[in-house]
Amino acid sequence: MSNTINKNESKLHNEEIIPRSMNGMGILLLNIIFIIAGIAALVYGINLVDYGYDKGILLIIAGISYSFIIGPIMFAGLKVLKPNEALVLTLFGKYYGTLRGEGFFFVNPFVSAINPSSKGTTTGKLGVEQTKVGSAEVTLPARTNKKISLKTMTLNN
């Protein structure tokens, strides 16, 4: 029984999965409207509590939770792709899908973009770069591009 579980868990993805994505501009505008509505609910709830209504506390909680917690998290799901680029998405370390095609997309805000062709992801080590700030040398993590370029390479003969 344990052999079947281990075989199912160790399967590698050989096929590309297209993640569910939505129009990024619509989600961006909708999120901004909801954040403004949350701030308005917060102000209205404070006024209701000031006049003695206990139900204003619910509006305060709803306004704070969307405007300052949920709304900013939703912005993390917005992805921009230029022509001939792809974005490999992982959800908590497992392959979620590959986003292809140019445009402005909204995907699950908890997915992270990785570049499998970068040097840091194959070895598990973070790259570092030396930078001189004033008279001291500072070691910073190297910036890796998370988007994969699909442009064809040309050779000079």
Side-chain angles (χ1 to χ4, degrees), residues 118-156:
S118 71
K119 296 174 186 172
T121 57
T122 56
T123 61
K125 296 180 184 176
L126 292 174
V128 292
E129 62 182 24
Q130 295 287 337
T131 305
K132 199 159 200 165
V133 178
S135 62
E137 282 192 26
V138 179
T139 303
L140 298 172
R143 296 180 185 146
T144 58
N145 189 6
K146 297 182 181 194
K147 295 177 184 165
I148 302 169
S149 177
L150 301 175
K151 297 175 184 175
T152 57
M153 298 291 210
T154 58
L155 297 173
N156 293 331

Side-chain angles (χ1 to χ4, degrees), residues 45 47-61:
N47 284 336
L48 285 179
V49 170
D50 196 28
Y51 287 119
Y53 294 107
D54 292 337
K55 294 187 179 184
I57 295 174
L58 294 175
L59 283 174
I60 292 172
I61 292 171

Side-chain angles (χ1 to χ4, degrees), residues 27-87:
I27 298 296
L28 175 69
L29 294 176
L30 196 64
N31 194 27
I32 291 172
I33 289 171
F34 281 158
I35 287 175
I36 292 171
I39 292 172
L42 174 66
V43 171
Y44 186 65
I46 291 172
N47 284 336
L48 285 179
V49 170
D50 196 28
Y51 287 119
Y53 294 107
D54 292 337
K55 294 187 179 184
I57 295 174
L58 294 175
L59 283 174
I60 292 172
I61 292 171
I64 288 174
S65 64
Y66 193 86
S67 296
F68 299 110
I69 299 170
I70 298 171
I73 289 174
M74 296 292 285
F75 285 128
L78 297 171
K79 308 289 181 196
V80 178
L81 288 178
K82 298 176 193 166
N84 295 323
E85 279 186 347
L87 199 58

Side-chain angles (χ1 to χ4, degrees), residues 18-29 73-89 96 98-109 111 147 150:
I18 299 172
R20 293 188 320 155
S21 62
M22 296 168 44
N23 182 9
M25 188 57 71
I27 298 296
L28 175 69
L29 294 176
I73 289 174
M74 296 292 285
F75 285 128
L78 297 171
K79 308 289 181 196
V80 178
L81 288 178
K82 298 176 193 166
N84 295 323
E85 279 186 347
L87 199 58
V88 177
L89 304 172
Y96 185 74
T98 304
L99 195 59
R100 289 179 174 259
E102 67 270 359
F104 188 40
F105 300 100
F106 176 77
V107 294
N108 186 347
V111 298
K147 295 177 184 165
L150 301 175

